[in-house]
Amino acid sequence: MSILERLTAAQGPAESYRLLIEFSNVATPLEFQAVAAQAGSLSPPTRRAIESVTGMMQRSHATPQTFMHQALAPGINFYAGAGSGGPKHLVVVFTGNQLRPFLPLPVFLQHVPVRHFDVLVLQDASRQWFLRGVPGVLDSIAELPRWLSSALPSFQYSSVRSVGTSAGGAAALYGGIVLGAARSLAIGGSTPSRATQLPPDPELDRTLFDRMIAAQLPAHTGVLHACYSGDNARDAEGAALLREHLPALRCTGFPGLTDHNLPFELWKQGQLHPFMRDYLLGGIGNNRNSQ
């Protein structure tokens, strides 16, 4: 059953909202646009929610980035498109507890030039900050390089970029180290060893990333960065806790912003494209209109 059929058959606003959130956590801009074009028969609240996302997409980029979606495994989705003819780069995304990089995925993808980048999105449905990897697929983030080489036989990129939001922040820094990423970015992240949001589980090793980072950091040459809303005290503390284990971590608070969802705050100001360029994409394919 297609997402449009499921939305049509939904039993009430709550189910429609859940289905739409699940779809917007994995859909490409083209996939979301296709649903929006056929949404006329849906309920007014559902149509308004769809229009909100499409409005964000259009404001982010005049036309949809032409990513194609491949589900590699539960919780692991791959997005690629035709390249520019030159070398391509990979962005690995570690989502937070909402299973999205703060923004609906089609909106996030509008900020990644498809001609230059492929995107791999990881979701931890157990909401354990990737301390146990990706449930049912990877037991540990340490297995990610070998798994990618098997799942993507053409896994050859000029560089890797790693980004994680909120509960995915620490995993993005560690994942970036094991992948040899040129840039690794935690947005609103903290170390799970000090997190209060994790579900109680005496067998969960909350210090895993701290120890693994300490063991592998000396050989890492990439840039490590933590960004957060500058007036959000909890996120400022989270970045400081991350730096206790990553002395080379560059921490940047954006003054005047308070919301945990820094990308949305920057999007509202029209500053998300420059942010992505300066802190993640590193000047490669950074033309806002590049497809």
Side-chain angles (χ1 to χ4, degrees):
M1 186 179 291
S2 70
I3 181 60
L4 197 63
E5 292 170 330
R6 294 169 68 198
L7 287 169
T8 301
Q11 301 297 309
E15 185 179 359
S16 295
Y17 182 75
R18 177 183 60 78
L19 290 170
L20 192 57
I21 289 294
E22 290 176 356
F23 180 60
S24 66
N25 284 354
V26 298
T28 68
L30 287 174
E31 288 172 332
F32 202 92
Q33 184 185 60
V35 168
Q38 303 177 65
S41 62
L42 300 177
S43 68
T46 302
R47 290 202 308 271
R48 286 194 294 270
I50 290 173
E51 289 165 1
S52 175
V53 175
T54 55
M56 291 182 70
M57 286 168 49
Q58 291 163 2
R59 180 176 164 185
S60 301
H61 199 290
T63 57
Q65 295 277 16
T66 55
F67 286 99
M68 302 303 291
H69 174 197
Q70 181 182 0
L72 299 181
I76 304 182
N77 291 278
F78 181 64
Y79 303 85
S84 63
K88 292 199 80 174
H89 309 263
L90 179 68
V91 177
V92 181
V93 180
F94 294 81
T95 60
N97 285 344
Q98 301 305 312
L99 308 183
R100 59 172 59 191
F102 272 137
L103 300 170
L105 188 66
V107 178
F108 176 85
L109 290 176
Q110 288 289 79
H111 295 81
V112 182
V114 68
R115 292 176 64 232
H116 303 283
F117 293 93
D118 293 342
V119 180
L120 184 79
V121 179
L122 307 180
Q123 301 168 321
D124 179 3
S126 70
R127 294 169 172 80
Q128 294 181 329
W129 294 42
F130 295 95
L131 287 167
R132 288 181 171 140
V134 177
V137 185
L138 298 171
D139 292 330
S140 168
I141 295 302
E143 300 173 4
L144 186 56
R146 179 169 50 83
W147 188 90
L148 280 176
S149 297
S150 174
L152 298 174
S154 60
F155 182 62
Q156 294 182 356
Y157 291 96
S158 292
S159 74
V160 175
R161 314 298 167 104
S162 175
V163 58
T165 55
S166 193
L173 296 175
Y174 174 60
I177 291 171
V178 298
L179 287 167
R183 289 174 179 257
S184 302
L185 171 64
I187 304 175
S190 184
T191 172
S193 62
R194 307 280 282 275
T196 59
Q197 304 97 318
L198 275 164
D201 183 345
E203 296 183 1
L204 185 64
D205 185 357
R206 294 172 176 240
T207 67
L208 178 67
F209 290 154
D210 298 341
R211 290 185 286 102
M212 287 183 166
I213 284 171
Q216 300 198 34
L217 182 60
H220 186 63
T221 59
V223 175
L224 301 162
H225 219 127
C227 293
Y228 56 93
S229 291
D231 294 346
N232 186 307
R234 188 185 72 174
D235 287 351
E237 180 185 19
L241 291 172
L242 285 168
R243 188 157 55 184
E244 287 184 7
H245 301 278
L246 286 168
L249 183 68
R250 305 176 185 178
C251 296
T252 302
F254 286 73
L257 301 181
T258 60
D259 200 282
H260 181 53
N261 191 338
L262 174 63
F264 184 56
E265 292 295 298
L266 294 172
W267 177 86
K268 289 190 293 184
Q269 297 181 355
Q271 294 300 309
L272 187 53
H273 276 288
F275 172 81
M276 293 282 285
R277 176 194 65 215
D278 294 342
Y279 292 93
L280 181 62
L281 305 183
I284 299 170
N286 57 24
N287 185 337
R288 171 189 178 107
N289 297 310
S290 175
Q291 286 197 56

